[in-house]
Amino acid sequence: MTTENYYLTLTCPNRPGIVAAVSTYIFELGGDIEEAQQFDDKASKRFFMRVSFSGGADSKSLKAGFVEIAKRFDLTWDLRAVKDLKRVLIMASKLDHCLVDLLYRWRIGELPMIISGIVSNHPREVYSSIDFADIPFYYLPVTPDTKSAQEAKLLEIVADAKVDMVILARYMQILSDDLSTKLSGRCINVHHSFLPSFKGAKPYHQAHARGIKLIGATAHFVTSDLDEGPIIEQDVTRVTHGDTPEDLVRKGRDLERTVLSRALRYYLHDRVLINGATSVVFSD
């Protein structure tokens, strides 16, 4: 019998017996739990759990048998075979450092995913030095007059390619409220952590002018509230009075790459669960 690896995630109103029911179910099907993490949110009175396990049963049988437990505990849940890779669409603009980093990590196997396509508001020539292999590239130029039509095309791409998650890899266009709503829970962005303190052009230069001592980056889910969606990952580094604005930009790029790749890795391994305005992240 072939052994498969699975990820099970769930959330529900907290009550006794959830862990026992889940672990007993996996055991009775001959499964072996390799990792289990759980969180009881006292504020929302909700329970969150992630289980990584192996077993001989197929996904269809596992899901069918789990329905009774889901009903009993009012679960919102997902069960996925690890081999069934998630499909990701990457969006980028002229700043390509995050795009290049994600492609590299994907090529070496660090980010197990299927890249369904790359979307940009700039033509392919802008990325002439980057090897996209056979990944589809979509040029969707955005102006005030074309924004609505291009967002409609984007949704068509997401639907046709069966995209699980859209990654804004320093995509320098603000998504409309309508698009943000339609991609709710399925879109991750990264930005410098100065927001909302330093909005607009050249935020690192603004920060330098204010004598900032820490710079950072934040990866979060996209919502209609600009850069205020549930946070997945953050990081910071210290800077000094001797750092130039260009030094801040350089260090900021490093942080943005690292934070976005971590957030995506957590997502690809089913470690992120949205909890209202925040998120539960079961780190590895």
Side-chain angles (χ1 to χ4, degrees):
M1 180 181 293
T2 303
T3 298
E4 295 285 357
N5 296 308
Y6 298 95
Y7 296 139
L8 170 65
T9 57
L10 61 90
T11 178
C12 61
N14 192 25
R15 54 179 281 196
I18 303 168
V19 175
V22 171
S23 57
T24 298
Y25 178 74
I26 294 173
F27 169 75
E28 290 178 344
L29 286 178
D32 179 26
I33 294 178
E34 299 170 349
E35 180 184 357
Q37 293 175 288
Q38 59 209 53
F39 172 62
D40 175 14
D41 183 8
K42 303 298 183 183
S44 65
K45 297 182 180 179
R46 292 194 65 82
F47 178 80
F48 299 82
M49 187 176 187
R50 175 189 182 273
V51 182
S52 172
F53 68 97
S54 59
D58 61 89
S59 293
K60 187 176 181 179
S61 299
L62 284 169
K63 290 179 179 179
F66 197 72
V67 169
E68 188 278 327
I69 296 175
K71 290 181 178 178
R72 191 196 325 166
F73 292 100
D74 190 22
L75 303 181
T76 299
W77 62 286
D78 184 61
L79 191 152
R80 177 175 68 91
V82 174
K83 68 177 182 180
D84 295 334
L85 301 181
K86 294 191 174 184
R87 303 179 67 85
V88 174
L89 183 72
I90 303 175
M91 301 184 68
S93 294
K94 282 187 176 181
L95 298 174
D96 62 8
H97 54 287
C98 286
L99 170 62
V100 171
D101 184 69
L102 295 180
L103 291 174
Y104 170 73
R105 294 176 191 270
W106 165 68
R107 285 195 174 98
I108 65 173
E110 183 179 321
L111 295 176
M113 60 184 173
I114 296 171
I115 302 180
S116 298
I118 297 170
V119 173
S120 179
N121 57 321
H122 296 281
R124 179 66 178 86
E125 292 74 36
V126 170
Y127 311 100
S128 59
S129 63
I130 305 175
D131 178 13
F132 288 164
D134 58 353
I135 300 172
F137 179 84
Y138 304 93
Y139 172 40
L140 300 181
V142 177
T143 68
D145 293 333
T146 65
K147 187 179 183 71
S148 178
Q150 298 295 52
E151 288 192 341
K153 289 182 181 179
L154 174 63
L155 288 174
E156 289 180 7
I157 294 169
V158 169
D160 292 345
K162 296 181 173 59
V163 171
D164 296 300
M165 181 61 69
V166 175
I167 302 296
L168 305 184
R170 298 300 282 136
Y171 179 67
M172 305 304 289
Q173 293 288 324
I174 297 175
L175 305 189
S176 69
D177 290 351
D178 179 62
L179 180 59
S180 297
T181 299
K182 289 176 179 176
L183 292 179
S184 178
R186 296 191 297 153
C187 187
I188 295 173
N189 188 27
V190 65
H191 66 74
H192 50 82
S193 286
F194 301 129
L195 289 170
S197 298
F198 300 105
K199 291 184 178 181
K202 297 188 175 182
Y204 289 105
H205 291 71
Q206 295 180 53
H208 180 267
R210 292 288 298 276
I212 204 81
K213 298 299 183 285
L214 286 172
I215 62 171
T218 298
H220 61 91
F221 285 104
V222 170
T223 65
S224 57
D225 295 321
L226 181 63
D227 295 323
E228 295 185 12
I231 293 171
I232 304 170
E233 177 66 357
Q234 292 179 297
D235 203 354
V236 297
T237 190
R238 296 198 65 85
V239 296
T240 74
H241 60 275
D243 286 311
T244 66
E246 290 71 28
D247 290 329
L248 268 62
V249 171
R250 171 176 54 80
K251 294 180 179 181
R253 283 197 299 262
D254 289 342
L255 287 171
E256 290 164 3
R257 283 191 290 256
T258 301
V259 166
L260 183 59
S261 66
R262 282 183 197 156
L264 180 52
R265 189 179 78 248
Y266 292 152
Y267 164 76
L268 294 173
H269 291 278
D270 293 350
R271 294 183 177 277
V272 184
L273 296 173
I274 295 178
N275 182 21
T278 183
S279 65
V280 174
V281 181
F282 292 118
S283 59
D284 51 11

